[in-house]
Amino acid sequence: MKNICFCFQMHAPFRMKRYRFFDIGADHYYYEDMQSEDQVQYLASTSYLPLCQTLQEMIRLSRGKFHCAFAISGEMLEMFEQFVPEMIDSLKALADTKCVEFVAMPYAYSLASQYDANEFAAQVKQHVDKINELFGQKSTTLCNTELLFDDELAFKAQKLGFKTCMTEGSKHLLSWKSPNYVYSAAASPKTKLLLRNAQVSDSLAFLFSDSSWPGYPMDAEKFTQQIIDLPKEEDLVNIWLGAETFGIRQQAATGIFEFLKAIPYFALEKEIGFLTPSEAGKKAAVDSLAVPFANTWCGEAKDLAPFVGNDLQQEALNKLYAVAERVHLCQDKNLKRDWLHLQVADNFLYMNHINAGNTHYESAYDAFINYMNILSDFLQRVEEQYPTTIENEELNGLLKTINNQNQEIEELQEEIKKLRARKAAKAE
């Protein structure tokens, strides 16, 4: 039986304001709240809310047989809570159907997995806790920023308790193999790998309304036949795309919402099922894949070059993560908040020369200067709390003490839960 795994990504960063050199040391607030609010309200009203409503109908009309997933960054969730609380209500309603999975990811949509393992683990845990708080779920699937995955991440994912990881089914990774199977990570055989079918996903995201596309016009019946026509043994098609595809990249007038709504009817009629990533990860792996270099869904090369490919980006990232250990010691909530916002991958994408002109910055250099001014002020604040005069050995000692205390607290909390459970069982 063939299955489709839909996953819709939602992410947008808090917009940084124009921050001049003379603001350093004088202004510690870095954000343009009105622009952030306008951005998320536009996304919600034009795309996200109509998409959630459509998915609700798909689940209802299929009697719960349609399953899908969301990958929503912590940044995005915070903006929903702050500016569009009805989005949280809509997502909660989807969670209540038990047909929708919210996969785990780095809270700040950051590149921490490549720069600081402790920070990466902390962000993933923070995201897991946030998803559990809002939607009552704890996913066993990890979706790293930009579908980033490599062999090292396989170990990290397993250590963090994840059974399945999502990444791009890129040609250089697969060679002659198909993305329409479940694989295992060669570096960590217990970790299952799900691979995005780029051809099918991108055709919906970018070509749906393009009259020059050979597949135009696409409808649900033709789409279903496209899945059926795949080799019989290829039983899993992962269709993952930005949620803004629906209503923004492909405007409502193109019929994109009606197309999506009709898919379960034609698919189920042909005995094509729907799975969440965690459900798909329960399938047996057909082979293992080695991923020695960073694999993402970015650009033609499917690597991290759009984020780390020039000197500006590398300078900013190295400066930022150089103070990671000191920030981990801080208890200042504002500093912690800024630390997360400064790590958002979009900040470094804006510094890409190829991307210049497609952002709210005039150039990659403009984005770099603005970011580095903000980072300079941030570093001054970190210096005030934990000066660089503190020796690394002393700093490591403090970190070890804090980590041991945190571990002890977690163990005690777990023991309390067990004691309460035993007490409740005796009372019954």
Side-chain angles (χ1 to χ4, degrees):
M1 179 180 180
K2 292 184 183 296
N3 293 282
I4 300 173
C5 175
F6 274 106
C7 185
F8 308 99
Q9 179 177 286
M10 294 180 176
H11 166 69
F14 280 89
R15 186 68 65 86
M16 298 287 189
K17 70 182 181 183
R18 281 289 175 180
Y19 196 89
R20 311 294 182 185
F21 175 80
F22 296 104
D23 293 325
I24 299 172
D27 181 4
H28 302 320
Y29 194 76
Y30 311 137
Y31 315 104
E32 196 66 71
D33 290 337
M34 289 187 65
Q35 289 184 15
S36 295
E37 182 175 3
D38 288 346
Q39 173 183 228
V40 72
Q41 286 187 344
Y42 171 70
L43 286 168
S45 62
T46 311
S47 175
Y48 295 172
L49 285 169
L51 174 60
C52 289
Q53 183 180 356
T54 300
L55 294 174
Q56 278 279 10
E57 292 185 47
M58 293 165 70
I59 293 168
R60 178 177 60 82
L61 293 173
S62 67
R63 297 181 180 179
K65 292 181 180 178
F66 176 76
H67 290 192
C68 66
F70 280 98
I72 311 176
S73 70
E75 291 273 305
M76 190 84 263
L77 290 170
E78 284 188 16
M79 283 201 278
F80 287 159
E81 290 180 305
Q82 188 172 343
F83 302 124
V84 196
E86 58 267 35
M87 265 305 305
I88 297 295
D89 295 335
S90 189
L91 291 167
K92 282 181 177 178
L94 285 170
D96 290 342
T97 66
K98 309 299 182 185
C99 298
V100 177
E101 177 182 3
F102 294 86
V103 298
M105 62 194 315
Y107 190 90
Y109 203 75
S110 71
L111 304 177
S113 62
Q114 304 298 104
Y115 287 87
D116 190 303
N118 291 332
E119 177 63 23
F120 173 71
Q123 282 193 32
V124 170
K125 183 180 185 306
Q126 185 178 358
H127 190 267
V128 167
D129 291 344
K130 186 71 172 179
I131 292 296
N132 190 35
E133 173 195 331
L134 291 175
F135 310 122
Q137 290 189 15
K138 186 174 181 181
S139 177
T140 58
T141 300
L142 178 64
C143 175
N144 198 7
T145 303
E146 299 292 310
L147 290 182
L148 170 60
F149 184 84
D150 58 21
D151 286 338
E152 191 175 343
L153 187 71
F155 290 111
K156 294 173 184 174
Q158 184 179 348
K159 190 176 180 181
L160 292 171
F162 293 101
K163 299 178 180 179
T164 307
C165 287
M166 302 164 65
T167 192
E168 175 77 353
S170 51
K171 291 181 180 179
H172 68 79
L173 174 64
L174 287 167
S175 184
W176 54 270
K177 297 177 182 177
S178 167
N180 303 324
Y181 296 102
V182 176
Y183 293 89
S184 64
S188 177
K190 292 183 179 180
T191 303
K192 299 284 186 65
L193 288 183
L194 303 182
L195 305 178
R196 175 178 178 264
N197 186 309
Q199 182 177 353
V200 177
S201 301
D202 290 345
S203 67
L204 295 185
F206 302 107
L207 302 174
F208 181 80
S209 59
D210 184 354
S211 59
S212 65
W213 175 43
Y216 180 88
M218 175 60 71
D219 59 36
E221 188 173 9
K222 285 171 64 177
F223 174 81
T224 302
Q225 190 60 47
Q226 182 181 355
I227 304 298
I228 293 171
D229 290 343
L230 291 170
K232 184 178 179 180
E233 61 275 11
E234 295 186 14
D235 60 354
L236 178 66
V237 182
N238 296 309
I239 303 174
W240 309 333
L241 61 175
E244 68 280 357
T245 292
F246 302 89
I248 296 178
R249 189 175 288 127
Q250 304 297 334
Q251 297 180 3
T254 65
I256 188 72
F257 288 107
E258 290 74 14
F259 161 78
L260 182 64
K261 191 188 301 184
I263 287 176
Y265 173 81
F266 289 98
L268 293 170
E269 189 179 56
K270 299 294 184 179
E271 297 186 343
I272 297 174
F274 297 91
L275 299 175
T276 65
S278 288
E279 290 168 342
K282 293 177 182 177
K283 285 175 166 286
V286 299
D287 199 357
S288 63
L289 283 179
V291 191
F293 306 106
N295 184 62
T296 76
W297 67 354
C298 303
E300 293 184 7
K302 306 298 182 184
D303 59 14
L304 275 178
F307 298 89
V308 304
N310 65 40
D311 292 341
L312 304 180
Q313 294 164 319
Q314 292 173 23
E315 172 74 7
L317 282 160
N318 290 332
K319 286 275 188 184
L320 175 67
Y321 283 104
V323 296
E325 289 187 345
R326 283 171 167 77
V327 176
H328 292 163
L329 289 171
C330 295
Q331 300 302 317
D332 185 323
K333 289 184 178 180
N334 290 332
L335 200 70
K336 292 280 194 183
R337 174 203 63 197
D338 296 336
W339 168 244
L340 288 173
H341 295 333
L342 284 167
Q343 290 183 71
V344 176
D346 302 65
N347 294 321
F348 311 103
L349 183 64
Y350 300 149
M351 300 175 200
N352 186 325
H353 295 293
I354 298 173
N355 201 50
N358 296 324
T359 73
H360 52 288
Y361 293 104
E362 294 178 4
S363 67
Y365 293 104
D366 185 35
F368 174 73
I369 290 168
N370 200 72
Y371 181 84
M372 293 305 285
N373 284 341
I374 292 172
L375 183 59
S376 295
D377 183 81
F378 177 80
L379 295 178
Q380 283 187 11
R381 292 162 60 200
V382 175
E383 175 75 11
E384 288 172 3
Q385 295 204 25
Y386 291 96
T388 51
T389 53
I390 298 177
E391 296 293 334
N392 285 337
E393 288 186 10
E394 185 180 351
L395 187 66
N396 290 334
L398 287 169
L399 279 170
K400 187 175 180 180
T401 300
I402 290 172
N403 289 334
N404 288 340
Q405 288 176 341
N406 289 337
Q407 184 177 350
E408 190 174 338
I409 289 170
E410 288 178 5
E411 290 173 355
L412 289 171
Q413 287 175 338
E414 192 63 31
E415 187 64 29
I416 289 170
K417 286 181 183 178
K418 291 179 181 178
L419 290 172
R420 284 177 177 168
R422 290 174 190 166
K423 186 176 180 181
K426 286 181 180 179
E428 292 176 0

